[in-house]
Amino acid sequence: NKTTTTPQSLANIEQAANDVITKMNEIVWALNPSNDTMDNLTAYLRVYANNYCEFHGLKLNFEAPVIKDIIILKSSIRRNIFLCIKECLHNIVKHANAQNVKIHITVEEAKRSFSIVIEDNGNGMKERRPNDRIGNGYLNMNKRMQEINGEIIMEFNNKGTKIELLIIY
């Protein structure tokens, strides 16, 4: 029994290999203690979001402050924040039918806190009723924020969705 390799099967193998490499790079970044600063988190999020949005044809507006002092963040905070941002961007592409994404980071050093707001101009999410099924993405983001003593706030209407991640470091 002879197996033939088609161009499509080669493309599928290449995509799977690229996905594995990307995930490994994300894990290495999250575990590397030299990345345990707010500046590194911001830089990594900026590059990731820019690449993701560009690939999916979304216009990105990324705003982050210049941070004067070195703010140390645990790797668990960086990892969970990154995975929440990744989930938000995935949901925008999959569900929102948006053209624009805005990510705005605010740091309040005196309160040892920061927030990340992710907004899109898509069709929004329908308002949940008590018996509606909550998606795994939201449940995962909520769990990740709880793990780092953070909070997630969602606002939606027919002009888009806004998700705010609040973190105390």
Side-chain angles (χ1 to χ4, degrees), residues 19-36:
D19 289 347
V20 168
I21 291 168
T22 299
K23 285 185 172 71
M24 289 302 295
N25 286 337
E26 290 169 5
I27 291 168
V28 169
W29 171 80
L31 295 176
N32 186 343
S34 69
N35 293 326
D36 285 352

Side-chain angles (χ1 to χ4, degrees), residues 45-149:
L45 292 177
R46 183 186 304 271
V47 169
Y48 178 84
N50 190 51
N51 290 341
Y52 192 89
C53 288
E54 186 176 308
F55 181 80
H56 291 285
L58 295 168
K59 183 180 175 196
L60 174 67
N61 177 359
F62 191 103
E63 298 176 5
V66 174
I67 301 166
K68 296 176 185 120
D69 298 323
I70 294 175
I71 298 173
I72 302 297
L73 300 175
K74 295 178 189 172
S75 63
S76 61
I77 291 176
R78 289 186 301 106
R79 181 177 180 278
N80 283 305
I81 292 296
F82 169 71
L83 291 172
C84 285
I85 298 294
K86 187 175 178 180
E87 181 68 32
C88 287
L89 291 173
H90 172 78
N91 288 342
I92 290 168
V93 168
K94 187 174 178 182
H95 302 293
N97 194 28
Q99 295 82 38
N100 300 306
V101 175
K102 179 179 179 182
I103 298 176
H104 181 81
I105 299 174
T106 305
V107 177
E108 292 194 45
E109 291 184 65
K111 294 183 179 179
R112 297 186 48 79
S113 69
F114 64 96
S115 73
I116 302 175
V117 175
I118 306 97
E119 294 181 82
D120 69 64
N121 69 336
N123 51 24
M125 294 172 42
K126 68 178 180 127
E127 189 167 348
R128 295 197 186 283
R129 294 182 305 267
N131 293 331
D132 284 349
R133 184 178 161 274
I134 295 176
N136 284 333
Y138 173 75
L139 291 174
N140 288 337
M141 287 190 292
N142 195 41
K143 181 181 173 193
R144 291 184 187 289
M145 293 306 294
Q146 286 176 0
E147 285 177 16
I148 58 174
N149 296 317

Side-chain angles (χ1 to χ4, degrees), residues 152-169:
I152 183 169
I153 300 168
M154 298 179 71
E155 297 176 22
F156 43 86
N157 57 44
N158 62 357
K159 295 178 183 163
T161 300
K162 176 181 174 181
I163 295 177
E164 183 172 9
L165 308 174
L166 301 166
I167 303 95
I168 296 174
Y169 56 89

